[in-house]
Amino acid sequence: MSKRLNEKLAKLRKEGRKGLYIYITAGCPNAEETVDIVRRAEEAGADVIELGLPFSDPMADGPVIQEASVMALKQGMTLKKALDIVKEIRKHSEIPLIGMGYINMVHHYGFEKFVADFSAAGMDGVILPDVPHEESEEMRAVCAAHDFTLTEFITPGTTEERMAETCRDAAGFVYCVSNYGVTGVKEIDYSVIGRVCAAARRYTDVPLAIGFGIGTPDAAVRAARQADGVIVGSAVVKRIIEGDIDGGIRLIAEMRKALDA
C-alpha cells in the first residue's frame, strides 16, 4: 500500500486521533480552485483527501455529488486533467490522495495505465464502488505492484463470509458505508454500522472509516465513536457548488475541532 497513506494512518492511530477524510470533486468549480481547496482543506484539518473523478453516471453518489460531477464535466474535466490536478497538489502537499471513480471510466483509460500514471503523479489509491470484491483480484495485484491502494467496502448488509474475505485483502483503510442508498447528508443511526465495524475487527486491523450521511460536527463525532475515521463529502461539496468555499472550509475546521475534543 501507499507509504504516504500508511504513515498518515499510523500517525493518527499512535496519537489516538480520529481521521478526517474529505471528498472534493476534481474540477469543481474548476481545476485551479480544486488545487487551492485541497490546500485549504488540509490546513483546516483534513487528514486524507478523497479526490472525486467526475463521471456521467455516478451510481453511488447522491444529487450533490452528481451536480458537482456535471459541473466539472462541463468545465472539460477528464482523467488526464485530473492527473494534472494531482501533480499540482503534489507540488505543495504530501496529504494522502485517494481517487474516487467508476470502473467504466478507468477501464476506458486502461486500468494498469491508470494505476501507473496516477501513482507516478502522487495519488495513493483509488475507490471504485462498482467493482465487487470477487472481481477485483487482478486489479488488487496491479495496485500492489505500484504501492497503490484499492479500497475495500463493508456495509450493514455484508455477510460474515464476505466480510472475512474483504477484510483479509484490505489495505489502507476499509470504507464502511453507514446506510443503504447513495451519498448525501441524512440522519443516521451509526450504531448499525458500528456493529458491522466491531465484526470487521475480527478480521483486520487496518483503519475503518465511516462514510455516507455525515454532514455536521455532531454527526462526525457520533460516527467516529464507531470507527477510526469519518468520510465527509456532500456537506462540503454542497457549499463549494453554491460558491461558499469559505463555508466548506469552516465546516472542515469545525469537524476537526469536534473530533479532537
Side-chain angles (χ1 to χ4, degrees):
M1 63 173 287
S2 162
K3 181 173 183 287
R4 187 185 292 110
L5 177 63
N6 185 45
E7 288 180 348
K8 168 59 77 171
L9 298 181
K11 184 173 185 288
L12 287 168
R13 177 167 285 177
K14 183 178 180 180
E15 294 173 350
R17 299 174 69 229
K18 300 293 186 176
L20 180 57
Y21 303 57
I22 299 295
Y23 175 100
I24 303 293
T25 302
C28 175
N30 56 59
E32 294 76 16
E33 287 190 84
T34 299
V35 175
D36 191 54
I37 290 169
V38 170
R39 176 189 61 78
R40 295 182 64 191
E42 181 177 13
E43 291 175 350
D47 297 299
V48 176
I49 295 295
E50 186 180 325
L51 190 65
L53 306 172
F55 182 54
S56 58
D57 186 23
M59 59 183 289
D61 292 308
V64 171
I65 305 297
Q66 288 184 27
E67 184 178 350
S69 290
V70 169
M71 183 181 294
L73 291 170
K74 285 182 177 179
Q75 291 282 340
M77 184 51 50
T78 63
L79 280 180
K80 289 184 178 179
K81 291 182 179 179
L83 189 66
D84 291 335
I85 288 176
V86 174
K87 292 175 181 176
E88 285 299 314
I89 292 170
R90 281 290 170 250
K91 290 179 181 179
H92 312 288
S93 173
E94 285 299 307
I95 192 169
L97 294 172
I98 306 294
M100 196 291 197
Y102 293 87
I103 193 58
N104 190 306
M105 62 192 297
V106 175
H107 266 326
H108 183 73
Y109 189 93
F111 186 78
E112 190 159 3
K113 177 175 170 55
F114 170 86
V115 172
D117 288 355
F118 276 82
S119 177
M123 189 173 274
D124 301 288
V126 67
I127 300 168
L128 298 171
D130 54 345
V131 175
H133 174 76
E134 297 82 356
E135 299 175 12
S136 67
E137 184 175 357
E138 290 184 9
M139 295 180 195
R140 282 184 273 114
V142 170
C143 289
H146 291 272
D147 296 320
F148 200 74
T149 298
L150 180 61
T151 300
E152 302 282 358
F153 286 86
I154 57 175
T155 75
T158 300
T159 64
E160 195 79 10
E161 180 182 5
R162 185 181 179 87
M163 185 179 296
E165 293 176 358
T166 297
C167 291
R168 179 194 65 213
D169 296 320
F173 64 94
V174 176
Y175 196 127
C176 307
V177 179
S178 67
N179 65 96
Y180 298 108
V182 296
T183 59
V185 176
K186 62 195 81 170
E187 189 62 33
I188 302 292
D189 176 5
Y190 293 105
S191 67
V192 176
I193 192 63
R195 289 191 289 273
V196 177
C197 291
R201 291 292 186 211
R202 297 199 293 268
Y203 305 107
T204 185
D205 62 355
V206 305
L208 308 177
I210 293 176
F212 284 42
I214 301 169
T216 65
D218 176 67
V221 169
R222 286 187 286 113
R225 292 193 186 110
Q226 312 292 340
D228 302 292
V230 295
I231 302 168
V232 181
S234 296
V236 173
V237 173
K238 184 175 188 294
R239 288 162 173 78
I240 293 171
I241 289 173
E242 294 172 348
D244 185 18
I245 294 173
D246 289 348
I249 300 302
R250 280 196 302 273
L251 178 61
I252 295 169
E254 289 165 3
M255 287 185 170
R256 176 75 275 162
K257 182 177 180 181
L259 290 172
D260 286 346

